[in-house]
Amino acid sequence: MNASVIAAHDLQHVFAMRTGLFARRPLYALDGVSLDLGRNETIALVGESGSGKTTLGRLLVGLQTPSRGQVTYRGQDLAALRGEAWRAFRRAAQVVFQDPAASLNPRRSVASAVATGLEGHLGLRGTALYTRVDELLENVGMPPAQYRDRLPHELSGGQRQRVAIARAIAVDPEVLIADEPVSALDVSVRAHILRLLQRLQHERGLACLLITHDLGVARAIADRVVVLYLGRIVEQGPAETLLDRPRHPYTRSLLDASPRPDPARAREPQAPRGEIPSAVNRPTGCHFHPRCPHAVDRCREETPNLRSFDDGRLAACHRAEEL
Amino acid sequence: MTGLALAPRNTLWSRLRRRPGATLAMAAIAISVLVAIAAPLLALRDPFSGSAASLLPPLSPGHPLGTDHLGRDLWSQLVYGARVSLAVGILAAASAVLIGTAIGAIAGYVGGVLDNALMRLAEFFQTLPRFVLAIVTIAFFGSSVLHVIIVIAILSWPQTARLVRAGVITLRSAAFVEAARLGGKSDTAIVVREILPNVIAPIVVTGSLDVAAAILLEAGLGFFGLGDPNLVSWGGMLNQAQQYLRQAWWMSVFPGLAITVVVLAFNLLGDALNDALNPRLRDAP
Amino acid sequence: MTEPLLDVRDLRVSLRRSGREVSVVDGVSLAIAPGEFVGLVGESGCGKSMTAFGLVNLFPTPAAHLAGGTVTFHGGRRLDGLPPAAMRRIRGAEIGMVFQDPNTYLDPLLPIGHQIAEALREHDFAGDVDARVLELLTLMEIPDPALAVRRFPHELSGGQRQRALIAAALAMNPKLLIADEPTTALDVTIQAAILDLLRRLRRQLGIGVLLITHDLGVIAETCDRVYVMYAGRIVESNTTASLFATPRHPYSQGLIKATLRPDRREALFSIPGQVPSPDSPPAGCRFHPRCPIAIAKCMGQSPELVSYDSGSVACHRAHDPAARTTWSASAA
C-alpha cells in the first residue's frame, strides 16, 4: 500500500451536551480514533447513526477541529497549516455530501455549482472556466448543453449527486470524503453513482473515504472497512475477510441485520439487541457489552484495546479469538 | 415519494399574476410611479401659483379637482405630491433594506459578541417611538426631504436585519455553504453569492411593507407641518386642509385617497409576495 | 382461495396539475388475504405511496384524488366512494397506517401514551383505555412501558418512536396494517428489529400487512407475496420465493440484480434510464425505453397482466426463454 495521504492520530472529539436547564455533560463523538488513508485506496466507514462516522469525516477535511489528537495531511499537522499551505489542503480534500438536494444551492445553476472550486481555488474565469465546467459535466455523464443551465430542482436525485461529484473532483483533490453518497438514491441509480466514484478514484488515484451505513455499498467498492461504534473503532480490515468472517460481535450484528434479496436466508431474529445508547451515557468497559450476546464480566469492566490479528485485521473484543 | 417534475414555468411573476390582489396592487403602484415621473406633463399649472379662484369645488372649469384656499390647483398639487411621497417611500425603504441586510448578514455570519452587540442595537432602535423620534429630529435638524428619508431609514432597518440574520444563521452551516467553503470561496463571496440569494424572499416582503410605512410616516410629518416647506407633499396638503374641512371636503379627501391607495397597494404587494415566495404555498392552486 | 381481506380492482389515482389531470396510479389491482404479508415494491415516483393513499382515500395533497376502480374490504364493503365520516371510522379502527417519518405523525407536545389513547378514544374504545395503552406498548417491546407512557416523542429514539406509531396504528385491533416505508429512515439494526416486530405481530394478531418499500432486501425478509410496480402499474406479482428465484419481468430482474448485498461482491449493476414522469408516460409497455429486450410490439401495445403458476406478469416477452436473463448480456 502507498504511504498515507491523510491520517487521524488518536482523535477525540467532545461536545458539551445540554442535559438539563443548567446541566451540561460531555458527549464523546469520537474517542481515540486512528486511521490512515492511502492513495488509490477506498475505505468504507460503517456504523449506526450516532457512531461518529460523519464527525470523523468532518475532522479529516478540517471542517471541524478535534478536541484532542491530530489530523495529518502528507505528514503535516492540519492545526499547524496556515496561509498557502492551508489553502492547498482545502483544495486537496473534498467532500460529497449525503443529501444531494441540500448540498446544492437551490438558486444556482448546475454550471455555477461545478464552478465553485474552479473559481475559488484555481481562479479560473471566462472561457477557461466554461470549458472546464463542460468537461467535468461530460465526465460525470451529464451532457453540458442539456444540463449546464438547469437549477437543482430540475434534476433527479441521481443527477444532483453527479453534479456534487463533479464539483468535488473539479479541483483535482487527493482525498475524497463521500458521506452516504447513495443513501438518498434509488437502488437502480446507486450503481451508476458508485461506478462513477470508482472510475474517478482509479483514474486519479484518489484516497477515498466512503461513509455508509449500508454494508452492501461497502462490500461493492471498498478495499478496507472500518467499523465505528459509539466513537471508537471496534474492527477494521480488508473488506472481503471482514464482511465474510467478522471478528467483532458488533460487525456480526450489523451483518445479520442487513437485509439481502434472498428469501431463503435463515436470519437469527434476535441478533441485534436493543439500540445504540446515547454518546452521553456510554456503557462502561466495552461500549457494546449491553447489546452483545457474548458479553462476560470482563467486558463490563475493562475497555478492550484494538488488537491486530494475523489476517491483517484489527478488532477490539476480549473474546475475538474464542468466537 | 412521488418525484413529480415541476410545472413548466412557475416563475415568481406567474405566481403573482395568479393573485388578483397582487395584480391590482402592481397596477396601482405602476400608475402612481408613472404619474410621479410625468408630473410636469400631467399638471395643469404650477402647483404653487395661487389665484383669486380659491376654494373652487371639483369639476370646476380648468380645475378638475378644484382649488385650495389660495386658489392653487389641487390636481397639479396631487400630481407633484406623488413625487415626494413615492421618492421618500422608496428611497427610505431601500436604504433601510440595505442597512438591515448588511448588518443582519454580518451579525448572523460572524456570530458571537458582534452578533450580540448588533442585535442589542437593533432592539434599541426598534423600541424607540418612531413618530416622536421623527418629530424631534426634524425639529432639530430642520425639515428637508433628505432628513425625512434618513430618519425613516434609521428607524426601519432593524426588522430587515433580524430577518436576514435568522436566515443567515440557518444557512451558514448548510451543506451547500460548506461545499462553497471547501471550494475555496471567501466569506464575503459565500454570504453574498450563496446565502443572501436564499433569504431574498423576506427581504423583498419587508421592503415593500417598509415603503408603505415610510409613505405613511412622511404623510404624518407633513400633516403636522414638518414636511419640506419647499415641496408639495400629500401630507402637507392634508395639513392645510385641516382648517377647511367643513368648507372644502375635496382639499382633504383627494390627498387622503391618494395616500390610502398607494399604502394599501404596497401592503397588498407585500402580502402577495410573501405568499408567492413561500415555497410551502408555491404549488397551491 | 378464501375471501380476500382487501380486494382492489383497477385503482386509478390522478393529480390535478396546472388544470390538467395527470394519472399517477393507472389501473392497479391487488389482493391481500387475511393474515397475509404483502409487499409493494418499486422505485420512487412509480406510484407506490399514491396507491396506499388511494386505498383509504386519504391524500397528502388536495390535488390528488381517486379517478376510478373499486376497493372491497373485509365483509364485502366497498371503500371507494364511502362518505368521509364512514371512511374515517374504518381508517384507524379497521385499517391501521404507519409512515416513513414518525416525527411527522407524532405531536411533539404530547406524551406518547396520550397520543395512543387519543387513537382509542377517537374510535370510542369500549374497554379501559389506560390498560390498553400499556398493553400495546408492552406488545411493541418498548422498554419500561409504564414509564414510556409519559415520555414525549423527543425523549424516545427513532426506533421507539416508530414503535409508538405502530402501537397507535394497531390500537383498535385493525385487520389490515398499511406500512409505507416504515424503516427507511432507520438504522439497519433498528430496521431488523422493527421488521421482526411486524412479523411477530402478524403471527400473534393475524393481521394482514401491506408493506410498501423500495428495498427488495426488506421484501425478501418479510413478505409472503410481492407486487412490483412501475410507472403507475403493476408489472409483476408472485410469491416472494418464486419472484426472487425466477423473476419474469425485466424490471423485476433489474431491481433484484441492482440490489447490493453485504455477503457477496458483485459487479455493480444499474437499470439504464429513469422512471418516466407521469406527465408523459411512454406508449405501449411503460418500461420499454429502459428494456434491453423490447421489440416493436412493446412500443405500440400495452401488455396485460397475465397469470401463470403462482404469479402474473405484464410483459409481451414473458414466455420467451431469452427474457429469463434479460440483463446478463448487457454489462451496462
Side-chain angles (χ1 to χ4, degrees):
Chain A
M1 198 200 306
N2 293 294
S4 77
V5 177
I6 198 158
H9 306 277
D10 198 22
L11 284 187
Q12 189 184 66
H13 197 62
V14 190
F15 297 101
M17 172 88 170
R18 198 183 271 270
T19 53
L21 196 52
F22 300 106
R24 274 164 184 275
R25 290 176 61 185
L27 181 151
Y28 288 84
L30 284 178
D31 194 5
V33 170
S34 298
L35 183 77
D36 60 304
L37 184 58
R39 229 180 104 70
N40 225 338
E41 183 186 33
T42 300
I43 291 185
L45 190 59
V46 303
E48 292 166 277
S49 36
S51 61
K53 303 189 297 278
T54 299
T55 307
L56 179 54
R58 294 174 63 83
L59 294 180
L60 286 177
V61 296
L63 280 171
Q64 266 169 280
T65 322
S67 317
R68 210 188 65 204
Q70 51 174 217
V71 176
T72 54
Y73 163 62
R74 296 173 165 278
Q76 299 161 284
D77 187 354
L78 279 199
L81 295 183
R82 295 278 178 276
E84 265 315 296
W86 170 253
R87 288 190 64 80
F89 167 73
R90 255 283 133 91
R91 182 184 154 190
Q94 292 293 318
V95 178
V96 173
F97 291 92
Q98 171 165 10
D99 180 0
S103 78
L104 296 175
N105 190 335
R107 301 204 176 245
R108 306 200 64 198
S109 70
V110 163
S112 69
V114 177
T116 309
L118 296 172
E119 294 171 329
H121 284 302
L122 307 182
L124 290 190
R125 298 280 179 274
T127 329
L129 179 65
Y130 299 133
T131 326
R132 190 77 191 98
V133 166
D134 283 3
E135 276 169 23
L136 285 158
L137 285 174
E138 197 75 65
N139 198 0
V140 297
M142 297 194 51
Q146 195 183 343
Y147 291 107
R148 206 189 284 129
D149 299 320
R150 298 244 184 127
L151 289 174
H153 73 82
E154 298 170 316
L155 303 177
S156 70
Q159 291 169 336
R160 283 183 210 133
Q161 200 58 295
R162 281 163 195 270
V163 175
I165 291 171
R167 171 177 60 193
I169 60 160
V171 292
D172 248 320
E174 290 171 76
V175 183
L176 188 68
I177 311 274
D179 189 355
E180 303 273 11
V182 295
S183 63
L185 306 177
D186 264 312
V187 273
S188 69
V189 191
R190 281 183 187 187
H192 276 302
I193 299 296
L194 293 175
R195 230 179 304 125
L196 174 65
L197 282 172
Q198 225 172 15
R199 195 193 83 218
L200 294 168
Q201 194 227 350
H202 290 152
E203 281 173 9
R204 294 153 184 258
L206 284 172
C208 205
L209 183 75
L210 178 80
I211 299 173
T212 180
H213 68 277
D214 186 335
L215 296 180
V217 172
R219 185 70 187 240
I221 71 167
D223 303 310
R224 275 199 291 156
V225 174
V226 173
V227 185
L228 219 51
Y229 187 73
L230 280 180
R232 286 187 190 159
I233 294 180
V234 294
E235 181 166 8
Q236 79 177 68
E240 301 279 296
T241 53
L242 187 140
L243 293 174
D244 280 340
R245 294 180 305 279
R247 283 197 187 271
H248 197 285
Y250 179 59
T251 316
R252 167 155 300 286
S253 68
L254 280 181
L255 269 165
D256 282 344
S258 300
R260 49 198 79 170
D262 182 4
R265 175 169 86 124
R267 207 166 58 80
E268 294 167 37
Q270 82 283 14
R273 295 199 299 195
E275 301 184 0
I276 188 168
S278 152
V280 181
N281 289 312
R282 296 185 302 172
T284 55
C286 171
H287 292 337
F288 187 61
H289 84 255
R291 298 172 75 189
C292 182
H294 312 292
V296 292
D297 286 344
R298 188 178 172 204
C299 306
R300 282 177 263 281
E301 286 147 16
E302 193 186 322
T303 304
N305 287 322
L306 204 56
R307 295 177 290 143
S308 51
F309 292 82
D310 48 17
D311 53 1
R313 264 195 282 172
L314 301 171
C317 175
H318 293 308
R319 305 187 64 193
E321 285 89 352
E322 317 161 48
L323 303 166
Chain B
M1 294 267 112
T2 39
L4 300 172
L6 258 96
R9 266 287 163 246
N10 197 10
T11 57
L12 174 60
W13 179 245
S14 69
R15 270 179 271 132
L16 270 182
R17 288 272 307 273
R18 248 174 274 150
R19 287 160 218 278
T23 318
L24 216 64
M26 286 188 293
I29 292 167
I31 290 172
S32 49
V33 169
L34 283 176
V35 164
I37 292 169
L41 301 174
L42 291 172
L44 298 169
R45 54 199 75 204
D46 181 350
F48 287 107
S49 73
S51 68
S54 63
L55 295 179
L56 284 181
L59 299 179
S60 307
H63 299 285
L65 299 184
T67 58
D68 70 0
H69 58 294
L70 298 176
R72 296 177 297 198
D73 182 41
L74 264 188
W75 165 249
S76 308
Q77 289 192 44
L78 205 63
V79 165
Y80 273 97
R83 293 190 145 188
V84 174
S85 287
L86 287 173
V88 168
I90 291 169
L91 287 176
S95 322
V97 163
L98 280 179
I99 301 172
T101 304
I103 291 182
I106 291 169
Y109 194 75
V110 177
V113 182
L114 186 63
D115 177 24
N116 251 316
L118 288 173
M119 284 305 107
R120 297 298 84 77
L121 188 72
E123 274 158 22
F124 171 74
F125 277 105
Q126 272 191 312
T127 49
L128 288 178
R130 300 176 68 136
F131 204 71
V132 175
L133 194 81
I135 290 175
V136 170
T137 315
I138 300 295
F140 258 103
F141 295 101
S143 146
S144 83
V145 177
L146 187 66
H147 289 162
V148 174
I149 291 175
I150 291 171
V151 167
I152 296 177
I154 285 176
L155 289 172
S156 312
W157 67 265
Q159 208 181 350
T160 313
R162 294 186 157 277
L163 287 167
V164 171
R165 172 181 173 271
V168 171
I169 285 175
T170 33
L171 288 177
R172 77 177 166 197
S173 55
F176 68 83
V177 170
E178 294 202 322
R181 208 166 285 151
L182 289 169
K185 291 286 176 100
S186 67
D187 287 338
T188 321
I190 288 175
V191 172
V192 175
R193 296 187 59 191
E194 304 287 337
I195 298 182
L196 283 184
N198 286 292
V199 291
I200 205 88
I203 300 180
V204 168
V205 173
T206 40
S208 76
L209 297 179
D210 277 349
V211 175
I215 290 175
L216 216 50
L217 195 55
E218 190 277 335
L221 291 173
F223 179 74
F224 284 108
L226 296 166
D228 194 326
N230 305 314
L231 292 169
V232 197
S233 78
W234 293 342
M237 290 169 73
L238 281 180
N239 173 37
Q240 294 176 350
Q242 285 178 78
Q243 296 151 28
Y244 300 94
L245 274 178
R246 284 164 195 276
Q247 298 103 301
W249 54 266
W250 53 92
M251 276 180 70
S252 54
V253 163
F254 291 115
L257 214 57
I259 292 168
T260 311
V261 168
V262 173
V263 168
L264 199 65
F266 275 104
N267 271 313
L268 273 177
L269 181 67
D271 277 352
L273 279 170
N274 191 28
D275 292 349
L277 290 168
N278 186 344
R280 289 159 146 277
L281 300 172
R282 190 166 285 185
D283 293 321
Chain C
M1 192 170 158
T2 53
E3 190 203 342
L5 174 65
L6 183 77
D7 189 7
V8 183
R9 300 268 168 89
D10 199 31
L11 186 77
R12 285 164 199 281
V13 176
S14 290
L15 278 179
R16 204 175 298 105
R17 240 188 357 210
S18 322
R20 219 158 64 83
E21 292 280 316
V22 175
S23 164
V24 288
V25 177
D26 191 22
V28 162
S29 299
L30 54 84
I32 301 170
E36 195 183 19
F37 209 127
V38 174
L40 181 61
V41 71
E43 290 169 274
S44 30
C46 70
K48 307 185 295 287
S49 296
M50 281 297 170
T51 304
F53 293 129
L55 298 180
V56 291
N57 201 355
L58 174 75
F59 293 98
T61 148
H65 57 97
L66 279 180
T70 61
V71 180
T72 315
F73 185 60
H74 183 69
R77 284 169 297 166
R78 287 276 298 273
L79 298 189
D80 52 291
L82 214 55
M87 191 68 231
R88 248 195 317 276
R89 269 197 298 281
I90 290 184
R91 230 168 22 221
E94 294 185 69
I95 301 180
M97 301 192 75
V98 181
F99 300 95
Q100 175 171 344
D101 182 6
N103 301 325
T104 322
Y105 297 91
L106 287 173
D107 185 335
L109 299 178
L110 291 175
I112 58 154
H114 190 104
Q115 303 194 44
I116 298 169
E118 216 166 64
L120 289 163
R121 294 204 181 92
E122 201 173 302
H123 293 283
D124 306 319
F125 181 72
D128 180 347
V129 170
D130 294 338
R132 174 72 180 149
V133 170
L134 214 56
E135 182 189 4
L136 282 162
L137 291 177
T138 315
L139 187 69
M140 295 310 134
E141 294 169 340
I142 291 179
D144 300 325
L147 288 175
V149 169
R150 286 195 297 272
R151 292 251 157 82
F152 289 90
H154 73 92
E155 298 174 303
L156 301 177
S157 70
Q160 288 175 351
R161 280 196 286 264
Q162 195 58 289
R163 284 170 195 262
L165 212 61
I166 297 175
L170 295 181
M172 293 299 291
N173 256 328
K175 298 178 189 68
L176 175 68
L177 179 70
I178 298 177
D180 188 356
E181 304 272 10
T183 59
T184 305
L186 306 173
D187 270 312
V188 278
T189 50
I190 314 298
Q191 163 168 291
I194 296 279
L195 295 179
D196 277 343
L197 175 72
L198 287 178
R199 269 195 300 253
R200 207 197 68 222
L201 291 171
R202 188 272 292 263
R203 256 195 336 271
Q204 267 180 2
L205 310 174
I207 51 173
V209 181
L210 178 65
L211 177 70
I212 295 167
T213 177
H214 66 280
D215 188 339
L216 278 170
V218 169
I219 297 271
E221 308 230 322
T222 49
C223 297
D224 305 318
R225 226 150 42 75
V226 194
Y227 290 91
V228 182
M229 196 166 177
Y230 184 76
R233 292 179 179 164
I234 301 286
V235 294
E236 181 166 9
S237 78
N238 209 335
T239 60
T240 307
S242 305
L243 184 94
F244 282 90
T246 51
R248 299 284 184 110
H249 198 284
Y251 182 60
S252 322
Q253 294 172 14
L255 280 185
I256 293 173
K257 204 166 151 67
T259 304
L260 298 168
R261 14 187 339 151
D263 54 340
R264 281 212 294 269
R265 185 167 198 154
E266 289 172 326
L268 288 164
F269 170 80
S270 51
I271 305 174
Q274 56 191 53
V275 179
S277 152
D279 290 309
S280 51
C285 172
R286 292 186 171 176
F287 189 62
H288 86 253
R290 302 174 74 183
C291 182
I293 57 162
I295 51 176
K297 190 180 179 190
C298 304
M299 294 161 208
Q301 192 184 334
S302 180
E304 296 284 311
L305 205 56
V306 181
S307 307
Y308 67 92
D309 306 339
S310 57
S312 54
V313 63
C315 175
H316 291 309
R317 301 197 61 190
H319 297 287
D320 189 334
R324 297 290 150 78
T325 51
T326 311
W327 304 96
S328 62
S330 63

